Amino acid sequence: MRDVKTIVDFSELLKIDEDLNETKKQILNWLKNYLPYTEKILKELNVNGFTKYPSIIDEYYKYLREFNVVEEEKHELIKIRILTILRLLNEFYENKHDLYIDSYESILNIKAKAFRNMLYMSSKAQSINKLDREQLRKQDIIMFHLTIYKDTIEGVLNKLLSPIIFILECESNNTPIEIIESRYFSEKYFDRRNRNRNFKNIERDFNILFEDTNTSLRNAEAHFDFSIDEKNEMITYKTGNRNSPMVSQSSFDDLKREINVLSEVARQIGIAYEIFWYEHANEFNNIFPETNFDEKYIALRQALLRNRFVLRGFKYSEGSLNLYFNYDEELETTSELIPLLRQSINFLSLGDDYEEEVNTINLIVNEFVTLTIELCVVRELENDLTKESFELFVNSVLANIKTY
């Protein structure tokens, strides 16, 4: 079950940029920073506008968020890292095009899992932040951060590194990406811990992404080889090998810094992957990342903006997926809700892609009006979609509106 806040607060954004024209200008200027690797998407946006790729607005705000959460002296490094990854991806795409297409679905699945894990971690963090800190032991908070640290390494960064290592090795080893994906994080990331010299790694072969990090802390959490001094906020754990272990310590602040650094690297890789996809979306033979729930959710949310509906979040409960909307005007007639119902086929797709069974989608507008859509009815509508059948569907939904 997920209850996730979105990155962009469109309700606030629309107050300062009503038609989003200023935001779109900023996005175009942002993409120009990565020429020549954004030439095609810039042409698309300049000629046809943002209708085809509305989710690029979210990607831009991920980028802005990255600048807001790191020190100013790192801003240039972020740009260089993204540009360097784009160069690697584009050279591989051009020089090994057949291999890229053959491996694309595997690359997409690995990337999608990493992005999904990133979303779950965000959900966990939001949940813990809602709790009363005075009712939590410091030990529990530190334990939570140890889990986040492990998940950042294994669930997100480890997966995002796989396509990069795959490309680095394709010149000499031509190793299938599934084999690379099965390797340990340390084998992909560190040179000094990599006994197989045929393996490419970030520290030696793509150092622009390397940030030295304490994997002993991650291993301590995984093997339960640690203790927590709650009063002094210190973590004691074992390092070295099993036969001659040593005892080390890190502070809670050290742990949080480690999480931040690795999260920054992961987010920067993710942004580069997304920019690369936008640049080449028309060339991927109809294999699009919109096959997963989160991408469809983003596209749906932004498609509704032109009707002044802001999809601000979702929550799942017992077969029902609740979608929460803000409408920036007072609802005077039920006809104002029809633009929502025009998206019913997309709601069906959203329900089908959710990780748990969805039978009903509730559209909750301004915490006041609820429209209930039964997915079985939409499936029938999809098979016989005419003007008349859609009107009957709309009338049946509007006749059962609930108000509070």
Side-chain angles (χ1 to χ4, degrees), residues 188-203:
K188 299 177 194 175
Y189 202 64
F190 295 100
D191 184 33
R192 58 186 181 275
R193 299 178 192 174
N194 194 340
R195 296 177 183 176
N196 191 326
R197 304 307 294 177
N198 292 321
F199 288 2
K200 298 292 184 181
N201 61 75
I202 297 300
E203 185 177 12

Side-chain angles (χ1 to χ4, degrees), residues 229-264:
D229 180 346
E230 190 170 18
K231 181 179 179 181
N232 297 307
E233 298 187 3
M234 296 296 295
I235 308 159
T236 302
Y237 51 94
K238 293 179 182 178
T239 60
N241 59 52
R242 184 176 298 177
N243 296 325
S244 57
M246 297 176 291
V247 174
S248 299
Q249 284 190 320
S250 292
S251 70
F252 185 31
D253 285 341
D254 292 335
L255 172 60
K256 287 188 286 187
R257 276 192 291 271
E258 292 271 354
I259 294 171
N260 288 340
V261 165
L262 290 180
S263 297
E264 289 165 14

Side-chain angles (χ1 to χ4, degrees), residues 101-267:
I101 295 301
D102 289 344
S103 307
Y104 179 70
E105 193 164 356
S106 295
I107 292 173
L108 179 63
N109 288 335
I110 291 168
K111 186 184 77 170
K113 287 177 183 176
F115 287 178
R116 183 63 62 89
N117 289 341
M118 199 180 294
L119 183 75
Y120 289 160
M121 287 169 58
S122 173
S123 177
K124 289 179 185 177
Q126 289 175 26
S127 297
I128 201 76
N129 289 336
K130 292 176 183 177
L131 298 176
D132 185 353
R133 291 300 182 95
E134 293 183 0
Q135 302 300 317
L136 290 174
R137 296 182 304 164
K138 179 63 71 173
Q139 179 166 329
D140 293 331
I141 296 174
I142 295 174
M143 276 291 299
F144 170 76
H145 280 79
L146 279 169
T147 302
I148 287 289
Y149 187 44
K150 178 196 70 175
D151 290 347
T152 301
I153 290 175
E154 299 299 343
V156 180
L157 184 55
N158 190 25
K159 293 187 177 301
L160 291 175
L161 293 177
S162 294
I164 293 173
I165 300 299
F166 170 66
I167 293 170
L168 293 174
E169 286 194 10
C170 74
E171 291 296 333
S172 53
N173 297 345
N174 209 16
T175 311
I177 191 168
E178 292 81 4
I179 299 298
I180 291 172
E181 170 64 4
S182 68
R183 291 179 193 165
Y184 295 116
F185 171 77
S186 58
E187 293 177 303
K188 299 177 194 175
Y189 202 64
F190 295 100
D191 184 33
R192 58 186 181 275
R193 299 178 192 174
N194 194 340
R195 296 177 183 176
N196 191 326
R197 304 307 294 177
N198 292 321
F199 288 2
K200 298 292 184 181
N201 61 75
I202 297 300
E203 185 177 12
R204 183 184 67 233
D205 302 297
F206 209 70
N207 190 261
I208 190 69
L209 295 181
F210 185 74
E211 296 270 5
D212 204 357
T213 186
N214 186 347
T215 54
S216 294
L217 258 178
R218 175 260 177 272
N219 291 333
E221 196 280 340
H223 302 145
F224 303 99
D225 270 345
F226 68 97
S227 61
I228 295 172
D229 180 346
E230 190 170 18
K231 181 179 179 181
N232 297 307
E233 298 187 3
M234 296 296 295
I235 308 159
T236 302
Y237 51 94
K238 293 179 182 178
T239 60
N241 59 52
R242 184 176 298 177
N243 296 325
S244 57
M246 297 176 291
V247 174
S248 299
Q249 284 190 320
S250 292
S251 70
F252 185 31
D253 285 341
D254 292 335
L255 172 60
K256 287 188 286 187
R257 276 192 291 271
E258 292 271 354
I259 294 171
N260 288 340
V261 165
L262 290 180
S263 297
E264 289 165 14
V265 175
R267 288 194 296 266

Side-chain angles (χ1 to χ4, degrees), residues 10 21 29 65 71 80 108 142 144 176 205 218 232 246 260 280 343 355 388 393 397:
F10 278 105
N21 282 341
N29 288 332
R65 179 183 179 277
E71 305 89 344
I80 293 172
L108 179 63
I142 295 174
F144 170 76
D205 302 297
R218 175 260 177 272
N232 297 307
M246 297 176 291
N260 288 340
H280 295 286
Q343 301 293 330
E355 72 265 25
E388 291 75 17
F393 167 74
V397 173

Side-chain angles (χ1 to χ4, degrees), residues 46 60 84 117 170 175 325 339 344 377 388 395:
N46 277 309
Y60 173 63
T84 304
N117 289 341
C170 74
T175 311
F325 295 88
S344 294
V377 176
E388 291 75 17
N395 290 334

